Amino acid sequence: MDIQNVFKRYEIKYMISRAQQERILRGMEAYMTGDEYGRSTICNLYFDTSSYLLIRRSLEHPVYKEKLRLRSYGTAKPDGLVFMELKKKYQSVVYKRRIGITEREAVSCLQGRAQLADTQIGKELDYFLRQYQYPEPAVFLSYEREAFYAEDDREFRVTFDEKILWRDSDLSLCSGAYGTPVLGEDEVLMEIKTGIAIPLWMTALLTENHIYKTSFSKYGTVYKTIYENQMGGICYA
């Protein structure tokens, strides 16, 4: 199966209950198909400066923002495939560019001990790393994801993320998915990803179930928790 490495789309988020999720899933049955990967565990390492410059800028809701993360599907192995991703957002449009690389090679490149592939995306990632003086891993985030795509338009996707966990120690994709929950027991993060617009049937489904878009950042939410803990006297390494 071909792996997509370049994305340009709108990403719209909704915080829903499990009951709302079940109704949305039933309403999607006639239009959407489950992703080939099925239900999967996604693990991410978010990189930032020592002062959390990238996420602090992002939380100010600027016209343009960017972030760097390393992602694996399931627990990574040193010689297993991971994705180094540069994610940008400009005027509500999300641009994601990534390269597939082994976990061991990725760590070396992120630390400046090895060179990324001489490709356009590799050059963009290298420029980002040098611009921010090789940011370090700041937060590990994992979640269980169920993904669907429209039968008549594979670019229209809906994902449901639950069991979102975070930690700011043991920052390796090879260490497994564990940490502190981000959401409550009855909360699910739904995300619509589309290149153009939301189909009318989905708009009607959202309206019928009183589901409204929200502004939610997994990394941003975790950073606020870290900041509050620091202000409360807890020291983070």
Side-chain angles (χ1 to χ4, degrees), residues 38 73 179:
Y73 294 87

Side-chain angles (χ1 to χ4, degrees), residues 52 166 168-169 225-237:
Y52 294 98
W166 75 275
D168 60 352
S169 60
T225 300
I226 294 174
Y227 179 79
E228 289 170 0
N229 286 338
Q230 287 176 333
M231 294 300 99
I234 298 177
C235 179
Y236 281 81

Side-chain angles (χ1 to χ4, degrees), residues 126 134 164:
D126 182 64
Y134 292 90
I164 304 175

